């Protein structure tokens, strides 16, 4: 079974600085999807960024970018120019391309604190 | 457009009572998921509906938990004879394929 590991339970960053959240996963498939979700105290899970494994180019969404290393099965999230509103739990997730079963796995999460 | 909605937002119940949690997915989304999230923890998969296929119930923790999805749209998660360990946030998500979009969750507290 595919597993997703977030080795950093907590991270802290100074406002306006850059922080990188780590995620590794285990899979035997060659095609899949990877996601980062943000969950602020309001508990609404918000999609931050998505990466398709067949794309070599790293996904970017404004201040959020990923470093996707397929061979190393690593999918880290970089947040640039951190803002107070970035404080939240961040979950890394893996999804199989096979839609007829549930194969969406979440990491345990990383709690990000942003210091003013 | 409208996102995934869930009701109630919060539910307090007494141990032993039954509860129903509702999820309204985004219109047109064929996939619907239920997850449970205990305080400060990650997401625990409960059940998955995909179109007209038989649901994947492999995550339901006991036979006190059940879910249905009527007409391929609204879903109801039912917990019978609630226990204190059922206290958690129950999250619903819907999607068309690659990506899941989450609702705001229902916080359940069993006294």
């Amino acid at each position: 079974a595919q597993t997703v590991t977030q080795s950093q339970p907590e991270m802290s960053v100074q406002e306006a600085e850059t922080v990188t959240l780590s995620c590794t996963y285990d899979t035997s498939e060659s095609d899949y999807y990877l996601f980062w979700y943000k969950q602020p105290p309001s508990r609404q899970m918000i999609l931050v960024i998505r990466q398709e494994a067949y794309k070599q180019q790293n996904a970017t969404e404004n201040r959020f970018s990923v470093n996707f290393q397929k061979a190393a099965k690593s999918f880290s999230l970089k947040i640039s120019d951190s803002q107070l509103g970035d404080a939240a739990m961040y979950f890394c997730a893996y999804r199989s391309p096979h839609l007829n079963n549930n194969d969406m796995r979440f990491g345990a999460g990383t709690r990000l604190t942003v210091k003013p | 457009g409208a996102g995934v909605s869930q009701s109630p937002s919060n539910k307090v119940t007494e141990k032993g009572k039954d509860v129903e949690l509702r999820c309204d997915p985004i219109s047109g989304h064929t996939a619907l998921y239920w997850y449970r999230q205990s305080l400060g923890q990650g997401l625990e998969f409960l059940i998955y509906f995909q179109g007209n296929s038989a649901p994947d119930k492999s995550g339901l923790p006991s036979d006190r938990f059940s879910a249905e999805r009527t007409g391929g749209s609204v879903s109801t998660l039912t917990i019978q004879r609630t226990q204190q360990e059922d206290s958690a946030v129950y999250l619903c998500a819907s999607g068309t394929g690659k990506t899941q979009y989450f609702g705001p969750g229902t916080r359940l507290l069993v006294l």
Side-chain angles (χ1 to χ4, degrees):
Chain A
Q2 291 81 0
T3 58
V4 179
T5 302
Q6 293 179 249
S7 59
Q8 306 153 316
E10 296 184 357
M11 290 286 283
S12 179
V13 64
Q14 204 71 34
E15 193 177 6
E17 297 294 310
T18 295
V19 64
T20 299
L21 308 184
S22 301
C23 173
T24 58
Y25 57 93
D26 180 35
T27 184
S28 58
E29 296 176 319
S30 60
D31 194 18
Y32 45 86
Y33 308 103
L34 298 165
F35 307 86
W36 278 98
Y37 283 90
K38 169 186 176 181
Q39 187 179 39
S42 67
R43 77 175 183 243
Q44 175 82 54
M45 291 277 282
I46 303 164
L47 177 67
V48 174
I49 202 164
R50 182 181 75 197
Q51 176 81 41
E52 289 149 315
Y54 68 87
K55 291 185 178 179
Q56 293 184 334
Q57 187 174 7
N58 288 324
T60 300
E61 288 288 341
N62 300 313
R63 297 182 295 106
F64 298 87
S65 61
V66 298
N67 183 5
F68 173 47
Q69 300 289 328
K70 191 172 183 179
K73 297 179 183 175
S74 171
F75 183 62
S76 60
L77 175 69
K78 184 172 82 171
I79 306 173
S80 303
D81 185 26
S82 297
Q83 301 176 359
L84 296 178
D86 295 335
M89 282 288 287
Y90 285 81
F91 293 95
C92 178
Y94 166 103
R95 201 209 193 289
S96 164
H98 308 296
L99 301 181
N100 288 330
N101 60 51
N102 166 57
D103 211 346
M104 184 91 170
R105 312 291 171 179
F106 289 85
T110 296
R111 182 175 301 281
L112 178 65
T113 302
V114 181
K115 298 179 180 178
Chain B
V4 179
S5 61
Q6 292 185 245
S7 61
S9 179
N10 295 281
K11 175 72 176 178
V12 180
T13 190
E14 294 180 347
K15 178 181 173 181
K17 295 284 181 67
D18 297 351
V19 296
E20 285 189 351
L21 312 180
R22 178 187 169 105
C23 172
D24 284 86
I26 294 171
S27 178
H29 281 188
T30 56
L32 188 147
Y33 305 75
W34 282 99
Y35 294 91
R36 179 169 69 176
Q37 186 178 31
S38 300
L39 186 63
Q41 301 298 310
L43 278 69
E44 175 189 5
F45 164 73
L46 296 177
I47 190 167
Y48 166 57
F49 297 90
Q50 173 61 50
N52 295 321
S53 302
D56 177 355
K57 304 180 181 180
S58 60
L60 295 178
S62 76
D63 58 8
R64 297 187 294 106
F65 288 73
S66 63
E68 61 178 22
R69 188 178 185 190
T70 54
S73 181
V74 172
S75 177
T76 302
L77 176 69
T78 301
I79 308 173
Q80 297 178 309
R81 305 180 302 281
T82 51
Q83 304 293 314
Q84 289 181 332
E85 60 262 30
D86 298 335
S87 296
V89 174
Y90 290 82
L91 292 167
C92 174
S94 73
T96 55
K98 305 173 189 176
T99 305
Q100 296 182 21
Y101 298 91
F102 284 82
T106 293
R107 183 180 299 280
L108 175 66
L109 177 60
V110 182
L111 300 177

